[in-house]
Amino acid sequence: MPQHTDTAAQIAAYLLETQAVRLRPEQPFQWSSGWNSPIYCDNRVTLSFPHIRSYIKNALAQAIQQRFPEVQAIAGVATAGIAQGALVADLLELPYLYVRPEPKSHGMGNQIEGKLEPGQKIVLIEDLISTGGSSLKAAKAVQAAGGEVIGMAAIFTYGFPQAEQNFTQANIPTLCLSDYNTLVKIAAEHDYISSDSIEALSKWRQAPEVWGK
Amino acid sequence: MPQHTDTAAQIAAYLLETQAVRLRPEQPFQWSSGWNSPIYCDNRVTLSFPHIRSYIKNALAQAIQQRFPEVQAIAGVATAGIAQGALVADLLELPYLYVRPEPKSHGMGNQIEGKLEPGQKIVLIEDLISTGGSSLKAAKAVQAAGGEVIGMAAIFTYGFPQAEQNFTQANIPTLCLSDYNTLVKIAAEHDYISSDSIEALSKWRQAPEVWGK
């Protein structure tokens, strides 16, 4: 597959190449939310490809330095964001934490793992943004523990308006390395999907809750 | 605190310095297993200290290269081993995976996250070894998925005979950067504990299941 100079396109190409993203409009996936979906995205697969993992690490670190230069610590959103978050913290030589969706049910009942300093300026790392619900839960946990969430950085977003609305309301600026529309474009360019599929994929993105029902 | 040339001593010192390990023989912790314990160990705290996190990363990577030079991929044991495991994989430029204690209850039901190649020689990364139960669960999941577990590397072990027995039976060679006996020695040297406490700490290590009951 050719290299792309644009980060969003290159990451989309990597997600397709490694099958981290699978597009299957003719045989939809069922998400745990109950939605039918032509796409399943598992960015954790990229961790098994060192050059792609490093590309993502470098892209996240660079974007964070440009957009949130005042960052003092990195927090991964558990579980999918923990590994890539740690790599970014390592590269930026910043303290690292990770945040569970709920407090741990045993041990000390921690929701935040690591040591959060009061007032510390935190950037959260997510692997994937859907409605933004789990990211916001993590952000609230960091805020409740005295941290300041100055931003969120994600590898991929479906680009649903609901997520954007959620982050705007919570006053959390967000950056995403790649997104659904870029992915569909790259998938079509590299013949992962037919032109018929593009229409189905576009319809899903507009109204995922009713698609395929 | 002075620097130690010995890795086991240096890591023990770091765990005490960051309060990743707390020793409280006079006011025991209750572990989720029901045991009373004079020690609570949360190595995740070290992730928030870049120089200590890097020291552990380098020590794990070096030990793995010496002991398991044929390693082809690194697998972190979820959740506590995910971050440090990713850093080791990054440094060694190896594929990375992580392994949940049970299959995920939603989505694709994955127990192993990432892409495991058939016959791949895997070293597991654990943050802490107690009885070895959770590590062995992870090892079995990797084996069931077609991977070959050639070893286990952990940051810290309590040194219980049961763990050693479990790993020997499962034929999994194990290396640990630091251990309980070293920790107690360093804690005494640096006045974290009194000489009375040393005796209590030693008694717990011999018979943790009845200690303090």
Side-chain angles (χ1 to χ4, degrees), chain A residues 16-190:
Chain A
L16 289 161
E17 181 189 328
T18 57
Q19 296 190 291
V21 164
R22 282 177 283 169
L23 293 170
R24 218 169 61 187
E26 72 295 341
Q27 191 195 339
F29 299 95
Q30 191 167 14
W31 284 11
S32 49
S33 61
W35 291 0
N36 291 317
S37 170
I39 180 171
Y40 189 80
C41 187
D42 177 3
N43 293 336
R44 291 162 294 215
V45 170
T46 60
L47 296 171
S48 301
F49 298 84
H51 68 291
I52 296 176
R53 184 180 69 203
S54 290
Y55 181 92
I56 293 173
K57 170 183 75 171
N58 291 324
L60 282 171
Q62 200 180 347
I64 289 169
Q65 282 184 310
Q66 283 172 4
R67 183 81 177 277
F68 310 115
E70 69 277 35
V71 58
Q72 294 173 326
I74 299 293
V77 179
T79 314
I82 298 179
Q84 198 53 263
L87 299 181
V88 171
D90 187 44
L91 186 59
L92 297 177
E93 298 178 358
L94 288 173
Y96 186 57
L97 314 155
Y98 64 86
V99 192
R100 302 174 186 279
E102 314 285 345
K104 198 178 172 190
S105 58
H106 58 279
M108 295 288 178
N110 292 347
Q111 183 164 8
I112 295 173
E113 301 289 3
K115 192 173 182 223
L116 177 70
E117 304 290 347
Q120 209 167 25
K121 293 186 200 307
I122 309 273
V123 172
L124 291 169
I125 306 279
E126 261 289 10
D127 77 324
L128 175 66
I129 290 178
S130 171
T131 60
S134 65
S135 320
L136 285 179
K137 264 194 188 173
K140 281 177 188 159
V142 169
Q143 289 162 342
E148 187 188 340
V149 179
I150 61 166
M152 159 86 68
I155 301 172
F156 184 80
T157 179
Y158 292 109
F160 295 133
Q162 193 186 336
E164 202 175 318
Q165 204 178 330
N166 278 336
F167 289 117
T168 304
Q169 274 175 4
N171 199 22
I172 298 175
T174 302
L175 69 85
C176 298
L177 296 184
S178 192
D179 59 81
Y180 185 77
N181 289 340
T182 304
L183 185 96
V184 173
K185 189 172 154 277
I186 297 293
E189 275 178 31
H190 297 300

Side-chain angles (χ1 to χ4, degrees), chain B residues 126-144:
Chain B
E126 260 287 11
D127 76 325
L128 174 67
I129 290 178
S130 171
T131 61
S134 65
S135 318
L136 285 178
K137 263 194 190 174
K140 280 176 189 160
V142 169
Q143 288 162 344

